[in-house]
Amino acid sequence: MEARRRSSTKPVQSLKPTKTVSVDEDLTKASDALPLPLHLSNAVFFTLFFSAVYFLLSHWREKIRTSTPLSVVTYSEIIAILAFVASFIYLLGFFGTDFVQSLILRPQTEVWNSEDDDEVADVLLRKEDARKVPCGQALNCSLPPLPPPAPIVTVQKVLDEKPVTVLTEEDEEIIKSVVAGTTPSYSLESKLGDCKRAAAIRREALQRLTGKSLEGLPLDGFDYESILGQCCEMPVGYVQIPVGIAGPLLINGREYSVPMATTEGCLVASTNRGCKAIHLSGGATSTLLRDGMTRAPVVRFGTAKRAADLKLYLEDPDNFDTLAVVFNRSSRFGRLQGIKCAIAGKNLYLRFTCTTGDAMGMNMVSKGVQNVLDFLQTDFPDMDVMGISGNFCSDKKPAAVNWIEGRGKSVVCEAIIKGDIVRKVLKTTVESLVELNMLKNLTGSAMAGALGGFNAHASNIVTAVYIATGQDPAQNVESSHCITMMEAVNDGQDLHISVTMPSIEVGTVGGGTQLASQSACLNLLGVKGASKESAGANSRMLATVVAGAVLAGELSLMSALAAGQLVKSHMKYNRSNKDVSKASS
Ligand code: ADP
């Protein structure tokens, strides 16, 4: 309760998210971060308040009886008056503010307004928050008007409309046959032709087989047809992850509300604070440097000489056009950009790079590569294709090749944060930030032998945005490669900050992007589906937003660290004040 009370009255200041807190650790309350636990300090001040009042009243009654003027005060009365005033201020601050807050019903989501003690920033922000148009439209009045808002459907309503799945007697027979092993669990969808029913039966069979309850993992309220053959096999329910919004994030003159799916306290609030600092400083500029997905099969020859022959053939510019024609047959959108080869003895690794439109592109590039391998077999019949992926791609593993060459979208995003915004919003100084960045993100990461990890927490933001927008979260490995640079500019007054991210792997079509929730988040960003203007524009835009959100996250966390606020804010926002032992029982 203390933490909740304080969160509504005190500014959001910092906030590094990192580790998962174990249940044991969580038994500690947020207020334990304070030198004196809140319930003790409340008790002390209550006692002080009532003792002082009692003491003063009894003394004044005595004075009135003996006709002594009240203005004649003794030392003990002065001390009692001071104690009264101090405890009154404490109790008013602690209980009174919440009371006033509850009267005016101030929305808790106005993190920006609540955290700021800077008048200039407040005025600017009130203007920002007063906008009635959605993000993207705030700066562009020529855009068409929005369609009327969809009715708000509450969870209760959904539950009312869609009754909880009830299993029939026929279902019971199928459950028994799955438990007995006579009906394979994976075949339920094709046998029943009803994905929801298949999931319900599989779930029940699983509970009986394991003797473990799945209560808490919802089954109803999800479209199981939408994942069939594309996103997830053998479903038994779905996991709910809250989606928070950071922003508006101002990049290249457009505002974005960034959806972040996370269960890590502080993360959204921290990114939101970074967005605010960027917005108040005029916004960030995000530039796409390169756009190409890669796939690298491994092929083997009888000799290293033959492997070298193929390498020379593939890298000869005269052969590129032929290879591109063969490659490009796979898709309207996959266009071969280049092939880079690496030899290990008799083995050759062929790293193909191609554009993939608005798709993240792994399937697309793989199909194109298969076409080329089939074609090469004619001229190189002694070539053994060992694997369509030989890890020189390199997908979902930390690898220098991605860090140096890039994979997916390579983006650099920068902003100049004004000195007074650094002080008033980020509660630190330009000098401290620059020094900490050098010591932590550059030198510290070098000491750790980092590979693409020259940043504070890029993967936090990348992963949260990826989950919200239906990206492949496993690709956060290379997508989070990032070097964060900070420099004092304008005679040391302001901060230049940049994030350079060579391997942001995102798409707005294919994979999980078409699912209802994820698609809604893409829609919020204005990048849902295939771009109508130019193939690939939506996915490129999404990559620039990811980089911008990382910039905001880096700015805020580094500031929290520089100001020494990290532990304090985590105690405040990242630790539940609930009694975990009760919750688990
Ligand atoms: P990935 O290659 O990322 O795994 P998929 O192959 O599942 O993605 O999805 C890409 C599919 O979407 C292809 O069939 C492609 O033809 C289609 N598609 C439609 N519009 C676009 C577009 N603008 N960009 C890329 N692919 C598109």
Side-chain angles (χ1 to χ4, degrees):
M1 180 195 165
E2 292 91 340
R4 186 174 56 76
R5 178 183 304 290
R6 294 182 71 80
S7 73
S8 67
T9 56
K10 290 273 285 178
V12 176
Q13 288 188 337
S14 73
L15 332 145
K16 153 74 192 139
T18 39
K19 63 172 197 149
T20 307
V21 180
S22 75
V23 168
D24 284 351
E25 280 177 275
D26 241 31
L27 289 172
T28 318
K29 290 187 175 177
S31 60
D32 294 350
L34 303 172
L36 190 62
L38 281 177
H39 67 276
L40 274 185
S41 55
N42 284 348
V44 167
F45 279 100
F46 261 119
T47 313
L48 200 62
F49 179 79
F50 287 112
S51 307
V53 169
Y54 177 78
F55 180 87
L56 290 172
L57 287 180
S58 57
H59 270 237
W60 286 341
R61 194 181 58 184
E62 192 58 31
K63 280 183 184 172
I64 291 165
R65 269 223 321 251
T66 57
S67 304
T68 313
L70 286 181
S71 54
V72 178
V73 285
T74 63
Y75 277 123
S76 57
E77 284 170 344
I78 292 174
I79 291 169
I81 290 169
L82 288 177
F84 169 79
V85 172
S87 53
F88 180 76
I89 290 172
Y90 174 89
L91 294 173
L92 185 71
F94 195 85
F95 296 105
T97 315
D98 248 16
F99 176 69
V100 174
Q101 295 280 327
S102 67
L103 281 186
I104 59 174
L105 283 178
R106 191 176 180 188
Q108 293 216 351
T109 46
E110 285 185 356
V111 180
W112 285 15
N113 281 348
S114 69
E115 74 174 354
D116 209 348
D117 55 7
D118 170 22
E119 267 179 41
V120 180
D122 265 351
V123 171
L124 280 170
L125 280 174
R126 271 195 290 275
K127 269 196 216 159
E128 299 284 339
D129 294 348
R131 283 187 301 258
K132 293 286 181 287
V133 287
C135 274
Q137 294 200 340
L139 300 175
N140 184 359
C141 302
S142 62
L143 286 175
L146 274 186
I152 294 168
V153 180
T154 63
V155 171
Q156 190 52 50
K157 189 152 180 245
V158 170
L159 290 177
D160 289 348
E161 283 173 359
K162 296 187 178 175
V164 173
T165 307
V166 180
L167 296 167
T168 62
E169 272 177 31
E170 192 193 336
D171 293 341
E172 181 59 32
E173 290 309 309
I174 305 172
I175 292 167
K176 282 182 185 152
S177 80
V178 173
V179 171
T182 44
T183 300
S185 178
Y186 64 79
S187 68
L188 287 170
E189 276 78 3
S190 57
K191 276 205 163 73
L192 300 172
D194 179 344
C195 294
K196 169 87 181 291
R197 193 171 155 222
I201 289 171
R202 178 178 298 115
R203 178 191 174 94
E204 184 54 32
L206 180 69
Q207 293 187 106
R208 292 186 196 176
L209 277 165
T210 59
K212 298 277 191 295
S213 166
L214 282 176
E215 195 191 339
L217 183 78
L219 172 73
D220 293 285
F222 190 81
D223 178 9
Y224 291 92
E225 310 288 337
S226 68
I227 57 170
L228 183 67
Q230 188 159 17
C231 294
C232 181
E233 298 75 37
M234 301 210 280
V236 292
Y238 59 96
V239 167
Q240 296 161 300
I241 304 176
V243 174
I245 290 294
L249 172 64
L250 183 58
I251 314 174
N252 299 342
R254 275 189 68 176
E255 290 180 331
Y256 300 88
S257 292
V258 184
M260 299 175 71
T262 181
T263 53
E264 185 166 27
C266 292
L267 183 58
V268 181
S270 178
T271 312
N272 194 51
R273 182 174 78 145
C275 290
K276 171 185 175 182
I278 292 169
H279 206 295
L280 291 174
S281 299
T285 306
S286 208
T287 309
L288 189 110
L289 306 167
R290 194 164 32 194
D291 180 8
M293 182 42 70
T294 64
R295 178 55 96 198
V298 51
V299 297
R300 175 179 284 176
F301 286 90
T303 62
K305 167 79 179 63
R306 283 295 288 160
D309 287 346
L310 179 56
K311 175 175 161 57
L312 294 176
Y313 173 83
L314 292 172
E315 292 180 348
D316 183 345
D318 289 345
N319 297 325
F320 180 80
D321 286 347
T322 312
L323 294 169
V325 168
V326 175
F327 184 100
N328 296 347
R329 272 186 217 136
S330 65
S331 160
R332 286 176 291 155
F333 303 97
R335 293 289 168 264
L336 185 66
Q337 293 175 320
I339 309 170
K340 203 173 192 85
C341 298
I343 277 194
K346 300 182 297 171
N347 307 302
L348 184 65
Y349 298 83
L350 302 67
R351 193 171 190 260
F352 291 78
T353 309
C354 74
T355 58
T356 56
D358 286 307
M360 180 275 288
M362 283 304 298
N363 286 331
M364 210 177 274
V365 66
S366 299
K367 282 190 230 160
V369 167
Q370 189 60 57
N371 286 353
V372 174
L373 290 176
D374 294 344
F375 171 80
L376 290 174
Q377 210 79 62
T378 319
D379 285 342
F380 294 87
D382 51 340
M383 175 182 81
D384 264 349
V385 178
M386 306 306 292
I388 183 90
S389 168
N391 272 10
F392 188 52
C393 318
S394 176
D395 193 39
K396 303 175 185 176
K397 291 159 286 274
V401 71
N402 293 336
W403 176 233
I404 296 165
E405 294 286 329
R407 186 167 199 255
K409 277 85 175 150
S410 305
V411 180
V412 61
C413 184
E414 66 186 329
I416 292 178
I417 310 299
K418 296 194 181 96
D420 61 331
I421 301 295
V422 171
R423 280 187 300 280
K424 288 164 183 163
V425 176
L426 301 171
K427 319 286 184 202
T428 183
T429 62
V430 171
E431 201 186 358
S432 313
L433 276 172
V434 171
E435 188 178 25
L436 181 63
N437 191 64
M438 188 271 289
L439 287 173
K440 175 185 164 66
N441 289 341
L442 306 183
T443 315
S445 296
M447 294 299 290
L451 173 56
F454 299 91
N455 59 78
H457 70 152
S459 77
N460 257 331
I461 290 90
V462 168
T463 310
V465 176
Y466 272 30
I467 294 174
T469 58
Q471 310 305 315
D472 187 338
Q475 288 183 322
N476 85 83
V477 175
E478 59 270 33
S479 295
S480 301
H481 283 176
C482 167
I483 184 163
T484 300
M485 304 289 291
M486 293 192 195
E487 202 183 310
V489 292
N490 301 336
D491 294 328
Q493 298 298 302
D494 303 330
L495 175 78
H496 181 276
I497 176 171
S498 67
V499 293
T500 308
M501 304 179 68
S503 309
I504 300 180
E505 296 159 351
V506 289
T508 58
V509 298
T513 62
Q514 94 283 355
L515 300 179
S517 320
Q518 291 83 337
S519 169
C521 290
L522 287 170
N523 192 41
L524 178 72
L525 289 169
V527 296
K528 179 179 161 183
S531 165
K532 290 188 179 61
E533 283 88 47
S534 134
N538 277 356
S539 63
R540 288 195 287 270
M541 180 95 81
L542 179 57
T544 59
V545 171
V546 169
V550 168
L551 187 83
E554 290 290 280
L555 192 56
S556 186
L557 172 57
M558 289 298 288
S559 301
L561 287 168
Q565 300 164 329
L566 186 69
V567 174
K568 215 166 79 185
S569 62
H570 258 254
M571 296 309 294
K572 199 158 128 186
Y573 292 103
N574 206 13
R575 286 201 152 183
S576 167
N577 226 23
K578 283 184 200 149
D579 185 341
V580 179
S581 58
K582 274 187 203 149
S584 61
S585 68

